[in-house]
Amino acid sequence: MFICQISGPLLDESQVRSIVDEIKQVITASSSRKRERGDRAKAEDFDAEEGELLKEENEQEEELFEQIGDCLGTLIKTFKASFLPFFDELSTYLTPMWGKDKTAEERRIAICIFDDVLEQCREAALKYYDTYLYHLLDACSDENPDVRQAAVFGLGVCAEYGGSVFRPVVGDALSRLNAIIRHPNSTHPENLMAYDNAVSALGKICQFHRDSIDAAQAIPLWLNCLPIRGDLIEAKVVHEQLCSMLERSDGELLGPNNQYLPKIVAVFAEVLCAGKDSSNRANCKSNDQFVEAASANVATFNPRINLVIPATTAAARLAVNSVILSLTIPWLAHAASSLWGSTPPCSSHFCCIASILFLVMGRFHSAMLHCLGGRCVIGEVRRPERRNEVFDAYSVYITSGSERGAKS
């Protein structure tokens, strides 16, 4: 895999051919070893010690398959449609890995490889839909959550790029996604990634196949699942879709008489207030990764948050403010107290606090804050003079704190 990553674009056809032939041999040899282990497990003298050895060998075999998947994924992402002739040769080796008699890891890897083909080759991959799409649908109900995640991610890719080829299975796909989303244990930690990818796939069906579904039911279902809390990559995709729909005042999103507006603002508020206490932090491999993800969310929502307030009735504004208050008062109390602590709060936190406060007060024309180069810049607002002085003072405090931290 490492060789593929480093030298991918430099490989010529004969070298790619050599790699593909080696992968065929590795898969064939692995299948032979698996049969041998099956025969050993049936032997009369098979005992617990031998069982532990077989378990270790199986784990090593799964690691090998994961490396095969990574290598093929890199080749597909590098060469895209030009790799498809090689993929056609490999399909006879990969298709059996979808079988129920294979391990969950083998099934997941096989699906991920196909997902890469769908995502990277797009129109050129449409010819595979008749063969593989129904495998994806079937895998959506797999007992293993990692397999389900790979399957529903693939459905989302098919919805985005499949066009008319995907349209005949939209109803079946919605049924499978709905089963995952509405399952009583759907948001348990072990199922969360599959749930998030199912929500993302549902959003893509709503976006690219709205004429084939009952949007008045599907879009509120999708909205009710937001925000995405587990899969940070899909969170950016889904939340960006929400922003785009809001920008164009999507009728099904807002609902009759803007009845879904409080839920929309609740999503905005939760993402803005995620901060360091967000459940997403558990899915970040480092603090730097978390800060990057949180900053991306703030960058996505902050420039658009002022779109929520204009052109709404007084009752709608009251509902919006009530939702924000109920969600954010505990967090704001904690975050605001840190303004006077020994350590200056970061500018992203200040952006979250001030944006929500502006919205809750409800008397501002705009509630935009932009974090530019570590400085908090307050956008166009209408506020009493005293409030202006207070927030200007906060901005100076945050800016000076950031500069002091940079110097230290």
Side-chain angles (χ1 to χ4, degrees), residues 11-207:
L11 297 174
D12 59 30
E13 184 176 349
S14 62
Q15 292 168 324
V16 174
R17 161 67 61 191
S18 297
I19 294 174
V20 170
D21 288 342
E22 287 296 327
I23 290 175
K24 292 177 183 177
Q25 293 181 26
V26 169
I27 295 176
T28 301
S30 176
S31 298
S32 298
R33 290 192 297 269
K34 186 175 181 179
R35 286 193 296 270
E36 291 175 1
R37 289 194 297 273
D39 293 338
R40 284 161 54 190
K42 297 176 183 177
E44 293 182 0
D45 57 349
F46 183 78
D47 55 19
E49 183 178 355
E50 183 74 7
E52 286 298 319
L53 289 174
L54 288 182
K55 182 179 178 181
E56 291 180 6
E57 292 177 14
N58 286 331
E59 290 175 352
Q60 293 173 358
E61 209 75 63
E62 288 188 351
E63 290 179 6
L64 176 63
F65 270 106
E66 186 170 355
Q67 293 296 318
I68 291 173
D70 290 342
C71 182
L72 287 176
T74 300
L75 290 170
I76 293 165
K77 291 171 185 175
T78 300
F79 296 103
K80 301 187 185 302
S82 60
F83 186 75
L84 290 182
F86 297 104
F87 177 76
D88 291 339
E89 294 181 20
L90 287 166
S91 62
T92 56
Y93 295 83
L94 298 174
T95 301
M97 292 170 60
W98 293 67
K100 296 291 186 181
D101 59 324
K102 305 299 181 181
T103 66
E105 185 65 8
E106 286 177 292
R107 297 197 301 275
R108 183 192 69 81
I109 291 169
I111 295 172
C112 287
I113 293 170
F114 179 58
D115 288 349
D116 286 335
V117 170
L118 294 175
E119 188 173 22
Q120 300 299 322
C121 302
R122 302 187 182 184
E123 291 83 2
L126 292 177
K127 62 182 180 179
Y128 300 113
Y129 278 51
D130 287 343
T131 303
Y132 291 102
L133 186 51
Y134 292 97
H135 288 299
L136 282 181
L137 291 168
D138 186 54
C140 288
S141 56
D142 195 282
E143 62 183 13
N144 184 277
D146 294 332
V147 175
R148 292 199 302 272
Q149 177 193 351
V152 295
F153 174 82
L155 283 185
V157 175
C158 290
E160 185 171 359
Y161 301 117
S164 60
V165 179
F166 181 75
R167 189 171 296 123
V169 301
V170 165
D172 196 0
L174 282 177
S175 177
R176 307 296 178 113
L177 297 174
N178 189 55
I180 293 175
I181 292 170
R182 293 184 181 274
H183 192 279
N185 300 328
S186 61
T187 56
H188 284 193
E190 68 274 12
N191 297 321
L192 187 58
M193 298 295 279
Y195 173 85
D196 287 351
N197 280 265
V199 173
S200 179
L202 174 60
K204 290 178 180 178
I205 290 176
C206 292
Q207 179 178 355

Side-chain angles (χ1 to χ4, degrees), residues 141-398:
S141 56
D142 195 282
E143 62 183 13
N144 184 277
D146 294 332
V147 175
R148 292 199 302 272
Q149 177 193 351
V152 295
F153 174 82
L155 283 185
V157 175
C158 290
E160 185 171 359
Y161 301 117
S164 60
V165 179
F166 181 75
R167 189 171 296 123
V169 301
V170 165
D172 196 0
L174 282 177
S175 177
R176 307 296 178 113
L177 297 174
N178 189 55
I180 293 175
I181 292 170
R182 293 184 181 274
H183 192 279
N185 300 328
S186 61
T187 56
H188 284 193
E190 68 274 12
N191 297 321
L192 187 58
M193 298 295 279
Y195 173 85
D196 287 351
N197 280 265
V199 173
S200 179
L202 174 60
K204 290 178 180 178
I205 290 176
C206 292
Q207 179 178 355
F208 296 101
H209 298 274
R210 185 176 295 205
D211 57 344
S212 301
I213 64 174
D214 184 352
Q217 289 188 358
I219 292 178
L221 171 62
W222 173 77
L223 175 62
N224 195 51
C225 298
L226 306 188
I228 296 298
R229 298 177 178 87
D231 192 323
L232 296 180
I233 295 175
E234 291 304 308
K236 294 177 183 178
V237 174
V238 172
H239 298 158
E240 178 64 29
Q241 181 181 352
L242 175 63
C243 290
S244 299
M245 294 172 72
L246 187 60
E247 282 180 331
R248 63 175 183 267
S249 299
D250 189 286
E252 280 84 10
L253 177 71
L254 294 172
N257 299 317
N258 292 333
Q259 70 181 63
Y260 303 132
L261 184 58
K263 171 60 180 177
I264 295 170
V265 179
V267 174
F268 275 62
E270 184 173 341
V271 173
L272 281 170
C273 294
K276 291 185 178 180
D277 295 328
S278 170
S279 59
N280 283 342
R281 188 176 184 182
N283 296 287
C284 296
K285 295 180 180 178
S286 68
N287 287 336
D288 290 341
Q289 183 184 359
F290 174 79
V291 170
E292 179 183 354
S295 299
N297 278 331
V298 171
T300 297
F301 281 94
N302 252 3
R304 297 172 167 94
I305 201 164
N306 65 310
L307 297 172
V308 179
I309 295 299
T312 60
T313 64
R317 284 197 298 273
L318 178 61
V320 167
N321 290 342
S322 298
V323 169
I324 296 177
L325 278 170
S326 65
L327 284 170
T328 61
I329 280 180
W331 183 85
L332 287 173
H334 171 73
S337 67
S338 68
L339 286 172
W340 292 276
S342 58
T343 304
C346 69
S347 55
S348 294
H349 280 183
F350 178 76
C351 286
C352 294
I353 297 169
S355 291
I356 298 300
L357 284 174
F358 287 161
L359 280 171
V360 171
M361 291 179 209
R363 297 172 62 183
F364 300 105
H365 180 64
S366 173
M368 290 193 298
L369 284 128
H370 303 283
C371 196
L372 303 174
R375 296 175 178 270
C376 290
V377 181
I378 299 178
E380 296 180 54
V381 294
R382 292 189 302 188
R383 56 194 181 278
E385 185 63 21
R386 178 57 183 160
R387 200 173 293 150
N388 182 37
E389 293 173 2
V390 170
F391 279 98
D392 283 350
Y394 284 174
S395 295
V396 171
Y397 176 71
I398 296 299

